[in-house]
Amino acid sequence: MASRSKAAPTYQWRLFMLVMCFSWVLVGCFIAFQYSREKEYKAQMLDSQLQMFNSVLLDRLSDGESITETVELMRKHLPGLRISIIGYDGRIKFDNTLDSLPATDHLGRHEIRQALVKGTGYTIRRHSQSDDNSYFYSATDGGHFLVRSAVPYSVSLQHVLAADRGFLWFMLCVTLALSIIAYFATGRIGRTVSRLKRFAEKAEKGEIIYGSEPSFPNDEFGSISRNIVRLYARLQQTMNERDLGHRRALEEEREKIRIKKELTHNINHELKTPVASIMACLETIINHPDLPQDRRDSFIFQSYENTMRLKRLLDDVSTITRLDEGTGQIVFAPTDLSAIINETARDMGPRLQDAGITLDVDVPSGIVVNGSETLLASVFHNLIDNAIAYSGGSVIKVSLEQLSDKNYILSVSDNGNGIPQSHLPRIFERFYRVDKGRSRKSGGTGLGLSIVKNAIAIHGGSITATNRPEGGFKVTFSIPRG
């Protein structure tokens, strides 16, 4: 069985390790620099002390005092002090610790080279071949020779020259504190990056983001992350709305095509009856020239009635077609609604009188809307005409139901028989008839209420139809105020 590969370290862990490496290297360099600097400072302090002994020795020698006595006196202040006098040829002229002077050339010694160049010099630790010990050397150029003092590099001296361990412990504590702070800081950043990564994976898969925005910390990085998520969410929502708009437009186009086909089919069907009746009447008149005058007049009158029915049908089809083509071809202007209602009532006066129906108009004057005078006139004409033809009542009422800041709510009602409840949901459909035989007999085209509904919709209103509890039929519609 193949071994499972180890999961790659998280971004938070990689970032933490990077910060830790950087911090520890930085602190390590600082400690090394500080340690070297402190050690050099202590070496310089020891060198200054030995240089002082060298200066005292040179002063005493210039005063003619004995070198041996002077060295012994100085050794009382610093036990183990070794004093050497070296000529410019590099040979040792005097050494208080040696019984025999070596013939080795000392010009190559580090402290001697420095003293010849700078006047003074020192070496922290070097093994002496003369007595097989390690010393700290400090040399001074005396003008005619060089004086070199040295102290043994013992454990005590090594301790003196060593850096302060308290400083090292302090830096270690500081480094640990920085590590803890870095852990929490990188953890905060790492969690934000991880959330952004999950968001990016969801975005790549096309998953819905808005409504499930991940939480981010309240800092600059979190603010940028939230802005990115919100920007993507808005873009995604815009694209969804665009796609939804395209689908709706496509569905509307399909619906328009379906309605046109249905309209064409219904028109063909509606045209057959009056055309067939006209043809039958005319054929009878043509084929029977000796037809009695009263029969001839009856056929001519039937032809005329069917011709008028065709005209009404074509007018209604023209209106429906104009409504389907949209509001771009319909002119809107401030229109006095009460004047339209009163004019419609006057025009339909003869029909109302013949039918024995009273029209009650309860609409105050000065009701102005922004709309099409022709379409609004057709609304009231069709509703009143429909009530005259089918209500079977004696009163038709046009009233202003409600006046709000945005709309006028009007109604056209009658006290007739009403409409069976099962037919109410479909009465605004094109060519839909509750009683087909009676509708055709009355000359109806089946498009009146459909024209009313579309005209109200184009004006931005809504329409409903109900049966009155006390009897009769009522159509209520709204029209936005001008």
Side-chain angles (χ1 to χ4, degrees), residues 64-278:
E65 296 184 14
S66 172
I67 185 172
T68 304
E69 294 177 356
T70 303
V71 169
E72 290 302 322
L73 181 63
M74 295 172 63
R75 284 172 63 88
K76 292 180 181 179
H77 297 283
L78 187 60
L81 179 66
R82 176 183 177 184
I83 299 294
S84 302
I85 296 178
I86 303 170
Y88 284 146
D89 59 356
R91 301 298 179 92
I92 294 180
K93 307 299 183 182
F94 171 83
D95 192 302
N96 67 320
T97 62
L98 298 178
D99 295 331
S100 61
L101 299 177
T104 308
D105 184 2
H106 283 64
L107 293 180
R109 304 293 193 265
H110 178 72
E111 69 277 6
I112 300 301
R113 291 200 310 270
Q114 281 189 329
L116 290 174
V117 175
K118 300 179 180 179
T120 61
Y122 70 88
T123 298
I124 294 178
R125 182 180 183 180
R126 191 178 68 247
H127 182 266
S128 174
Q129 296 178 355
S130 302
D131 59 5
D132 199 27
N133 291 320
S134 295
Y135 291 93
F136 181 97
Y137 295 96
S138 180
T140 305
D141 188 358
H144 302 288
F145 51 84
L146 296 115
V147 176
R148 185 181 70 179
S149 58
V151 291
Y153 196 88
S154 59
V155 174
S156 59
L157 179 60
Q158 184 178 3
H159 178 74
V160 170
L161 294 179
D164 185 6
R165 293 187 181 275
F167 170 76
L168 296 178
W169 282 110
F170 171 75
M171 291 304 300
L172 179 61
C173 293
V174 170
T175 304
L176 290 176
L178 288 176
S179 301
I180 295 173
I181 294 172
Y183 174 78
F184 288 104
T186 55
R188 187 182 182 92
I189 297 174
R191 286 190 295 272
T192 303
V193 171
S194 298
R195 290 167 184 157
L196 269 178
K197 180 183 177 182
R198 289 194 294 271
F199 156 74
E201 290 172 350
K202 288 184 178 180
E204 184 180 11
K205 295 176 182 177
E207 296 182 14
I208 296 177
I209 301 298
Y210 57 89
S212 60
E213 178 182 324
S215 59
F216 292 101
N218 294 321
D219 54 20
E220 289 78 2
F221 198 13
S223 177
I224 293 173
S225 302
R226 283 191 294 272
N227 289 335
I228 291 174
V229 173
R230 282 195 292 266
L231 180 63
Y232 176 81
R234 285 196 295 269
L235 176 61
Q236 191 178 52
Q237 188 171 6
T238 301
M239 293 177 65
N240 290 338
E241 291 175 354
R242 180 204 62 187
D243 295 340
L244 181 60
H246 287 172
R247 287 194 296 270
R248 286 177 178 173
L250 183 59
E251 290 174 0
E252 289 177 0
E253 186 64 26
R254 289 174 178 172
E255 182 65 14
K256 285 182 179 180
I257 294 174
R258 185 192 67 78
I259 291 174
K260 286 182 179 179
K261 289 182 179 179
E262 183 180 349
L263 180 62
T264 302
H265 173 75
N266 290 333
I267 290 173
N268 290 335
H269 180 73
E270 292 294 327
L271 288 175
K272 288 180 180 179
T273 301
V275 170
S277 178
I278 292 171

Side-chain angles (χ1 to χ4, degrees), residues 223-422:
S223 177
I224 293 173
S225 302
R226 283 191 294 272
N227 289 335
I228 291 174
V229 173
R230 282 195 292 266
L231 180 63
Y232 176 81
R234 285 196 295 269
L235 176 61
Q236 191 178 52
Q237 188 171 6
T238 301
M239 293 177 65
N240 290 338
E241 291 175 354
R242 180 204 62 187
D243 295 340
L244 181 60
H246 287 172
R247 287 194 296 270
R248 286 177 178 173
L250 183 59
E251 290 174 0
E252 289 177 0
E253 186 64 26
R254 289 174 178 172
E255 182 65 14
K256 285 182 179 180
I257 294 174
R258 185 192 67 78
I259 291 174
K260 286 182 179 179
K261 289 182 179 179
E262 183 180 349
L263 180 62
T264 302
H265 173 75
N266 290 333
I267 290 173
N268 290 335
H269 180 73
E270 292 294 327
L271 288 175
K272 288 180 180 179
T273 301
V275 170
S277 178
I278 292 171
M279 290 180 63
C281 290
L282 294 178
E283 286 178 356
T284 301
I285 293 173
I286 292 171
N287 294 331
H288 299 84
D290 55 347
L291 198 66
Q293 188 62 40
D294 58 340
R295 294 290 305 280
R296 183 184 295 270
D297 292 340
S298 176
F299 286 132
I300 293 174
F301 181 75
Q302 288 182 35
S303 298
Y304 173 78
E305 286 292 320
N306 281 288
T307 302
M308 294 303 296
R309 180 181 171 188
L310 284 175
K311 181 180 182 302
R312 287 192 297 271
L313 177 62
L314 293 175
D315 289 341
D316 286 347
V317 168
S318 175
T319 303
I320 284 288
T321 303
R322 190 155 59 98
L323 292 175
D324 287 342
E325 289 174 353
T327 59
Q329 299 181 9
I330 300 173
V331 178
F332 284 77
T335 304
D336 190 338
L337 205 59
S338 52
I340 291 177
I341 297 172
N342 292 327
E343 184 177 351
T344 303
R346 287 193 299 271
D347 291 343
M348 303 198 71
R351 282 202 64 197
L352 290 165
Q353 188 174 2
D354 292 343
I357 296 175
T358 302
L359 178 62
D360 181 12
V361 177
D362 185 16
V363 178
S365 60
I367 303 298
V368 178
V369 298
N370 185 43
S372 168
E373 182 176 351
T374 303
L375 289 182
L376 292 174
S378 71
V379 168
F380 293 100
H381 183 278
N382 277 292
L383 289 176
I384 296 172
D385 184 70
N386 193 72
I388 294 172
Y390 309 116
S391 70
S394 59
V395 177
I396 299 173
K397 185 175 182 179
V398 180
S399 58
L400 179 66
E401 297 274 327
Q402 184 180 345
L403 176 62
S404 66
D405 294 336
K406 295 183 179 180
N407 298 309
Y408 293 116
I409 309 297
L410 298 103
S411 68
V412 177
S413 60
D414 60 65
N415 63 345
N417 302 320
I419 295 177
Q421 195 67 30
S422 60

Side-chain angles (χ1 to χ4, degrees), residues 21-89:
C21 290
F22 176 77
S23 300
W24 281 88
V25 169
L26 183 64
V27 171
C29 292
F30 180 75
I31 291 175
F33 171 75
Q34 186 65 20
Y35 178 84
S36 174
R37 187 176 181 184
E38 184 177 358
K39 186 175 182 181
E40 182 180 358
Y41 170 75
K42 291 185 176 181
Q44 288 177 351
M45 293 293 292
L46 180 59
D47 177 58
S48 298
Q49 185 178 3
L50 294 179
Q51 289 292 337
M52 182 179 65
F53 284 121
N54 293 345
S55 298
V56 171
L57 179 61
L58 288 172
D59 291 341
R60 287 180 177 273
L61 290 177
S62 62
D63 293 339
E65 296 184 14
S66 172
I67 185 172
T68 304
E69 294 177 356
T70 303
V71 169
E72 290 302 322
L73 181 63
M74 295 172 63
R75 284 172 63 88
K76 292 180 181 179
H77 297 283
L78 187 60
L81 179 66
R82 176 183 177 184
I83 299 294
S84 302
I85 296 178
I86 303 170
Y88 284 146
D89 59 356

